[in-house]
Amino acid sequence: MCGIVGYVGNKQATPILIDSLKKLEYRGYDSAGIAILDGENILVRKAKGALKVLEQLIAGETIKGSVGIGHTRWATHGEPSDINAHPQTNVSGTIAVVHNGIIENYAKLKAWLQTQNVVFRSQTDTEVIAHLINYNYEQSGDLFQAVLATLSRLEGSYALAVICSDYPDRIICARKECPLVVGLGKGENFIASDVPALLEHTREVYFLDQNEMAVLYTDHVDLFKSKTGEKIIRDPYHVDWDVSAAEKGGYPHFMLKEIHEQAKALTDTMRPRLEKDGKGRTSDIKFDEVSFGDEWKTAQRIIITACGTAYHAGVVAKYAFEKLARLQVDVDAASEFRYRNPIIHKEDIFIVISQSGETADTLAALRLAKSAGVKVIAITNCVGSTVSREADEVIYTWAGPEIAVASTKAYTTQLMCLNLLALKAAKIRGTVTDDDYRSMLAELECIPGKVQRILDDKSIIQKFASEQFNKGKIFFIGRQFDAATSLECALKLKEVSYMHSEAFAAGELKHGPIALVDTNTLVVAVATMPELYEKIGSNIVEVKTRGAATMVITQDEGGNFNTQADVVFHIPEVNEIFASMLSIIPAQLFAYYCAVLRGNDPDKPRNLAKSVTVE
């Protein structure tokens, strides 16, 4: 979730850009840079690390120019480095680009540009944009037309800004799926990824819509449709948020913002890994990061190890791999795995999962596996993290940074990666038919939209939380996939609300936990597997007759639970293998609302840290 800023006016651009980038630091980043037009040339300064590293780099240097763009980068393609930092330029340095998003077809575009004798310096997908604009500019001689032609060839998501030394009076920017805001000043205009970067200068803005462009000059801004170049006339929007609210995009807390970002995060995680056939239909899964050799055909076991939320994603994945690929899966908490002298075979497939890529116990498990001669696949959100550097192969979730300590979108994007991996393994091992494979690919493509439908119904969860936030005991129950999902449901609630919550397989209810059930108990059942609805229904009746309040999270539309539970929250229908990516959303919302109702800060739960780098 990179940060973009830009300025065109009569003032010196550098201090404005640096200050604006500081307002976007909450988005997370690993490098920063600026490009300034001094009237004749573009001066680029960029550095790996915190924004203060960039400030130190340019301290004492006079960089004059009243037009410029800036960027804080959250690495996706290429590790964090000075070279991979933005802005990226064409070969001659006459065009500079900053970019937020992922260009899915960058490899094909890069290969084609190399046939045109273009020499690449970075590992980024963004550099492709700069070179492609340059190529189109050489063809047309017009920068706007060159950008328009470039956008028509880009697949994926982007918010981008372009400056050119031949056009020293303007910035051209465009947006598809990634946010971009244009700020309207007096004798100056601005762009930014989010409103906080603009509030010191103006409260009159254009929120660029999908597939829209803007050209900024000192005295005016023109808007266009990026597919046709047609001009748009629109009234600006007046922002009356306070600064702290704006940093959260209007949400009261980062946790709620990140819960709502899951539909997009899942899209960003999934889309680059799906291949289309000649008719535009999704036909296969591709992981450029993973070499699917013979070991996937001959492997007898997968070992997954992780901590906390990532561990729970691994437990869900156990069921997916075993059901789809018919592979035995052992899932271990990394803090246990490293100490138990585990049995590891060189033929095993070893997967570690870590949101931050710095989790100490997970790193120790990774190193133990490598010492045993096993190839390690890592799933993480952080490019350049220790886990990503030490693993043999790395799958990035591309969820964007999580600010809230309690993980939400990292979890669902980990599940997406694991489900894609399990389905690909099934295809390789011949344990799924071609028809079922295509059918499940289609189901995965629908997941983000279904997540959004759940979020649109969040008021049901908010009301339920208002009735239950003072319960003394909360039990989450389920069977198979749903038992695994229940683990994360319970963890999320205890993390942010500090309510005592536990999760266990529903069949274990009568083997002890039912002794704790009384009128001060809430039981939430996750039920997404139709063949087990009757069993879950019996469990609900067992606890309800003992005074517990009950809720069922289910995709059942047949009314199986309507007379049994106090509240039934329906999620959209989906293949039960993938249902965990949907059924966790109401539980995340419930945890958030309970935390707020109890007066807690859900972004900063007590005693917890985002990255656990101690053992």
Side-chain angles (χ1 to χ4, degrees):
M1 199 165 71
C2 311
I4 290 174
V5 297
Y7 174 80
V8 53
N10 296 312
K11 300 173 184 174
Q12 292 301 310
T14 298
I16 294 173
L17 295 177
I18 295 295
D19 184 64
S20 297
L21 288 174
K22 289 179 180 178
K23 301 296 195 307
L24 298 179
E25 285 187 291
Y26 73 91
R27 296 169 69 87
Y29 64 100
D30 48 50
S31 59
I34 58 173
I36 305 295
L37 263 166
D38 68 357
E40 295 181 0
N41 302 302
I42 295 176
L43 305 177
V44 175
R45 301 291 183 269
K46 53 186 182 176
K48 173 186 174 182
L51 191 56
K52 64 182 179 182
V53 178
L54 176 64
E55 288 187 278
Q56 292 166 358
L57 177 68
I58 63 176
E61 182 181 4
T62 301
I63 304 177
K64 292 184 177 181
S66 57
V67 176
I69 52 179
H71 190 266
T72 51
R73 178 178 186 249
W74 180 268
T76 54
H77 296 74
E79 65 182 10
S81 69
D82 291 354
I83 291 176
N84 288 333
H86 295 199
Q88 293 290 324
T89 70
N90 62 337
V91 174
S92 62
T94 58
I95 294 172
V97 176
V98 292
H99 164 232
N100 177 14
I102 296 173
I103 305 304
E104 295 168 11
N105 62 332
Y106 86 98
K108 292 181 180 178
L109 292 172
K110 182 175 181 177
W112 178 80
L113 285 163
Q114 287 172 327
T115 67
Q116 307 300 307
N117 300 317
V118 173
V119 177
F120 283 78
R121 289 168 290 197
S122 78
Q123 300 167 299
T124 67
D125 54 341
T126 303
E127 190 180 356
V128 166
I129 303 173
H131 293 309
L132 192 55
I133 292 173
N134 180 76
Y135 174 84
N136 289 319
Y137 181 49
E138 290 178 344
Q139 305 302 308
S140 67
D142 183 275
L143 182 63
F144 181 82
Q145 292 300 324
V147 174
L148 207 64
T150 297
L151 297 179
S152 70
R153 296 188 64 180
L154 300 182
E155 298 175 8
S157 60
Y158 54 78
L160 57 87
V162 182
I163 57 175
C164 176
S165 58
D166 291 343
Y167 293 78
D169 63 340
R170 70 195 69 178
I171 300 172
I172 299 178
C173 57
R175 182 228 162 171
K176 179 188 175 188
E177 296 189 8
C178 295
L180 198 60
V181 186
V182 176
L184 306 175
K186 295 181 179 180
E188 57 186 2
N189 291 298
F190 312 81
I191 57 169
S193 294
D194 208 348
V195 170
L198 305 176
L199 291 184
E200 182 180 334
H201 308 285
T202 181
R203 289 180 176 268
E204 301 300 315
V205 304
Y206 292 126
F207 291 101
L208 288 190
D209 286 335
Q210 285 281 66
N211 299 306
E212 287 188 352
M213 298 172 65
V215 183
L216 284 70
Y217 304 87
T218 297
D219 57 354
H220 72 284
V221 173
D222 294 326
L223 303 180
F224 302 89
K225 294 181 180 179
S226 59
K227 290 190 174 181
T228 63
E230 178 185 350
K231 198 166 185 178
I232 302 169
I233 304 298
R234 177 186 303 147
D235 292 330
Y237 176 83
H238 179 77
V239 177
D240 55 8
W241 307 336
D242 61 40
V243 174
S244 62
E247 289 177 345
K248 301 178 179 72
Y251 291 97
H253 298 96
F254 283 112
M255 182 178 178
L256 186 60
K257 179 175 183 282
E258 288 158 10
I259 289 172
H260 279 263
E261 287 174 344
Q262 287 178 108
K264 181 182 184 303
L266 285 162
T267 300
D268 290 344
T269 298
M270 169 190 62
R271 184 180 289 164
R273 275 120 186 183
L274 298 182
E275 284 192 327
K276 304 286 186 179
D277 61 19
K279 298 181 178 179
R281 298 173 301 191
T282 301
S283 58
D284 203 358
I285 296 167
K286 61 171 182 176
F287 277 102
D288 294 333
E289 316 95 321
V290 179
S291 57
F292 289 100
D294 290 340
E295 69 271 16
W296 284 91
K297 294 180 180 179
T298 60
Q300 299 299 308
R301 182 176 66 156
I302 292 176
I303 300 174
I304 300 176
T305 186
C307 297
T309 289
Y311 166 74
H312 295 159
V315 178
V316 175
K318 169 184 172 69
Y319 290 99
F321 276 108
E322 291 186 347
K323 188 161 189 173
L324 287 171
R326 305 306 298 154
L327 260 170
Q328 176 189 339
V329 180
D330 291 345
V331 186
D332 270 283
S335 56
E336 289 291 298
F337 180 84
R338 60 179 298 196
Y339 293 118
R340 67 173 177 84
N341 192 23
I343 299 170
I344 306 174
H345 303 292
K346 290 185 178 181
E347 299 78 19
D348 292 334
I349 295 172
F350 198 93
I351 300 173
V352 298
I353 312 169
S354 171
Q355 182 277 142
S356 68
E358 303 294 345
T359 311
D361 286 319
T362 305
L363 277 168
L366 181 156
R367 290 163 182 161
L368 179 60
K370 293 203 70 168
S371 70
V374 178
K375 184 170 76 173
V376 176
I377 299 170
I379 297 176
T380 183
N381 194 37
C382 296
V383 176
S385 61
T386 306
V387 161
S388 70
R389 293 195 307 271
E390 295 193 15
D392 297 293
E393 297 177 335
V394 186
I395 297 172
Y396 291 112
T397 57
W398 293 333
E402 276 190 333
I403 308 301
V405 169
S407 182
T408 52
K409 62 178 179 174
Y411 174 74
T412 48
T413 54
Q414 287 165 0
L415 286 180
M416 178 61 79
C417 289
L418 289 161
N419 280 316
L420 287 167
L421 202 56
L423 189 52
K424 181 69 173 181
K427 174 76 176 300
I428 291 170
R429 295 170 67 84
T431 54
V432 62
T433 67
D434 289 343
D435 286 344
D436 285 345
Y437 186 70
R438 286 190 293 268
S439 174
M440 282 187 275
L441 283 175
E443 292 240 24
L444 282 173
E445 284 191 286
C446 294
I447 292 292
K450 292 178 179 180
V451 166
Q452 189 58 53
R453 285 167 57 187
I454 295 172
L455 293 169
D456 292 341
D457 288 338
K458 63 180 180 292
S459 60
I460 299 172
I461 298 296
Q462 187 172 13
K463 181 177 184 297
F464 186 68
S466 71
E467 298 166 348
Q468 305 294 333
F469 72 95
N470 277 325
K471 279 289 191 288
K473 293 166 288 186
I474 300 89
F475 297 145
F476 290 89
I477 62 174
R479 292 172 184 262
Q480 302 290 302
F481 286 94
D482 298 329
T485 305
S486 294
L487 295 172
E488 178 62 11
C489 296
L491 177 64
K492 214 49 50 194
L493 185 63
K494 68 180 70 169
E495 279 183 321
V496 298
S497 74
Y498 316 146
M499 299 166 74
H500 183 82
S501 57
E502 298 296 337
F504 44 84
E508 292 298 297
L509 184 67
K510 56 187 172 291
H511 295 291
I514 201 167
L516 297 172
V517 175
D518 56 23
T519 56
N520 195 31
T521 305
L522 166 65
V523 177
V524 179
V526 183
T528 65
M529 304 182 70
E531 67 271 24
L532 296 172
Y533 285 166
E534 185 176 337
K535 299 290 185 183
I536 289 290
S538 297
N539 297 137
I540 291 293
V541 171
E542 287 172 346
V543 297
K544 194 171 176 61
T545 57
R546 289 162 175 83
T550 56
M551 178 182 188
V552 177
I553 298 170
T554 183
Q555 58 176 328
D556 169 54
E557 294 293 346
N560 284 282
F561 304 106
N562 290 353
T563 60
Q564 297 166 337
D566 298 312
V567 174
V568 179
F569 186 90
H570 294 281
I571 63 172
E573 287 191 11
V574 68
N575 188 303
E576 63 191 33
I577 297 172
F578 309 137
S580 296
M581 289 182 282
L582 303 184
S583 56
I584 189 59
I585 308 296
Q588 292 172 345
L589 289 165
F590 181 69
Y592 169 79
Y593 288 123
C594 284
V596 172
L597 288 163
R598 292 167 70 89
N600 303 336
D601 182 350
D603 289 343
K604 300 176 182 177
R606 67 190 182 202
N607 306 328
L608 298 179
K610 187 64 180 169
S611 178
V612 184
T613 56
V614 295
E615 299 174 8

